[in-house]
Amino acid sequence: MHLIVLGSAAGGGFPQWNCRCPVCTLAWDGDPRVRRRTQSSLAVSADGERWALVNCAPEILAQIQAVPALHPRGGRRQSPVASVLLTNGDIDHVAGLLSLREAQPFTLFATPAIHQVLRASSAFDVLAPDVVSRRDVELGASFELVEGVTATIFPVPGKIALYLEQREAAEKGTLATDVMGEQTIGVEIAAGGRRALYIPGCATMTNALRDRIAGADAVFFDGTLWRDDEMVEAGVGTKTGKRMGHMSMSGDEGSMAALAGLDIGRRIYVHINNTNPVLIDGSPERVAANRAGWEIAQDGMEIRL
């Protein structure tokens, strides 16, 4: 199994276009300790010829251009990208679909709830049904994601995309949540006897999720924030990680503690927010994460299992 991290940052990328938090300021000033990152997505293949994307970031065109394995080969219209799987309806995971509209066939996999989000916006009608096949996948179902690669989706504690909250609140009269439903999923990817999990968003660790992760050859996990109040402390937001549906890396309730001691081949943080100090090479937070066995993903990172 061949996996490529196309984008490793959370929504807005790094540096964020309108942000001068301490970490973004380093990027704007050209500090070599930080690397620019695009919004999170992953490419996976069993043979290096046919590829699936897990999530489709707004920067998908630049991500494809940066990865030769995804370049068109032969013929006037061709792409190695055979399918796309969405893990939720967040803008940073679906907006790139609008760029994949040039009459190129591929299969779009998502839960019925996420497909409904796409159908509610006429902008996604550019993905003509006679070209792009939209396939519903149910929680717990296994299916061929791309030739030689099997995927199984499962519910992850999370919440509905922030931009959908007001719409659902107006319809239902209450604040929309999705503690354990179809709006936030994880993906188990299997090929050649190897197993990887991609979980870019997770609000809390459950026993069932911990059991599923155990024994994986690689896990790509939600690395949005180092600490829950990080954005508040940086002076760039009012929402905590919990409010946004993301557990922190550090602390007694963080993901490093929750997954400590598990037999995992490689532990890789993805979906890293622009305020997160682990983005800084040599920072105390980066050192702590590395000592706990975690790698910090960067765009173009390749993993072969």
Side-chain angles (χ1 to χ4, degrees), residues 156-159 184 199-206 209 213 221-224 241 245-248:
V156 172
K159 65 181 300 301
T184 303
I199 309 169
C202 182
T204 188
M205 185 61 60
T206 65
L209 180 57
I213 292 172
F221 198 80
D222 184 350
T224 306
H246 298 286
M247 66 188 301
S248 302

Side-chain angles (χ1 to χ4, degrees), residues 205 210 213 219 221 254-262 264 267 294:
M205 185 61 60
R210 196 172 187 273
I213 292 172
V219 58
F221 198 80
S255 54
M256 287 193 298
L259 297 177
L262 281 192
I264 301 171
R267 303 161 187 253
W294 286 88

Side-chain angles (χ1 to χ4, degrees), residues 3 5 42 196-200 218-222 268-270 303:
L3 304 112
V5 177
L42 184 75
L197 287 94
Y198 188 64
I199 309 169
V219 58
F220 300 84
F221 198 80
D222 184 350
I268 304 165
Y269 277 124
V270 293
I303 297 92

Side-chain angles (χ1 to χ4, degrees), residues 50-278:
R50 291 166 289 273
W51 290 82
L53 308 182
V54 184
N55 292 328
C56 195
E59 306 97 328
I60 187 61
L61 298 184
Q63 292 173 346
I64 289 174
Q65 290 165 9
V67 176
L70 301 183
H71 293 180
R73 311 166 195 162
R76 298 297 182 185
R77 293 277 190 181
Q78 189 276 338
S79 172
V81 177
S83 61
V84 177
L85 170 62
L86 304 177
T87 64
N88 61 24
D90 284 352
I91 292 293
D92 50 315
H93 289 162
V94 305
L97 291 170
L98 299 176
S99 296
L100 303 185
R101 64 184 186 275
E102 306 298 341
Q104 178 63 42
F106 66 91
T107 302
L108 179 59
F109 296 103
T111 65
I114 297 174
H115 274 309
Q116 181 56 41
V117 169
L118 300 182
R119 285 193 294 270
S121 173
S122 60
F124 290 100
D125 291 347
V126 297
L127 301 175
D130 59 332
V131 177
V132 177
S133 173
R134 302 192 188 194
R135 284 189 52 188
D136 286 347
V137 288
E138 302 293 336
L139 296 175
S142 297
F143 57 97
E144 186 177 67
L145 179 60
V146 67
E147 189 168 337
V149 178
T150 299
T152 305
I153 66 170
F154 53 91
V156 172
K159 65 181 300 301
I160 195 167
L162 291 173
Y163 74 95
L164 295 173
E165 284 187 353
Q166 289 186 332
R167 178 198 301 172
E168 293 218 359
E171 293 174 354
K172 299 180 179 179
T174 59
L175 181 65
T177 60
D178 186 56
V179 176
M180 204 71 166
E182 293 186 359
Q183 290 281 3
T184 303
I185 63 170
V187 186
E188 184 171 306
I189 306 166
R194 299 290 186 173
R195 187 170 67 95
L197 287 94
Y198 188 64
I199 309 169
C202 182
T204 188
M205 185 61 60
T206 65
N207 289 334
L209 180 57
R210 196 172 187 273
D211 290 344
R212 182 181 286 273
I213 292 172
D217 295 289
V219 58
F220 300 84
F221 198 80
D222 184 350
T224 306
L225 301 176
W226 177 254
R227 50 182 288 181
D228 189 57
D229 61 352
E230 181 178 302
M231 293 178 61
V232 179
E233 287 295 310
V236 297
T238 60
K239 295 183 176 70
T240 63
K242 291 179 181 177
R243 171 67 180 85
M244 297 186 295
H246 298 286
M247 66 188 301
S248 302
M249 293 181 179
S250 66
D252 293 341
E253 297 181 354
S255 54
M256 287 193 298
L259 297 177
L262 281 192
D263 178 19
I264 301 171
R266 294 180 68 172
R267 303 161 187 253
I268 304 165
Y269 277 124
V270 293
H271 197 271
I272 306 163
N273 200 57
N274 59 291
T275 56
N276 195 328
V278 298

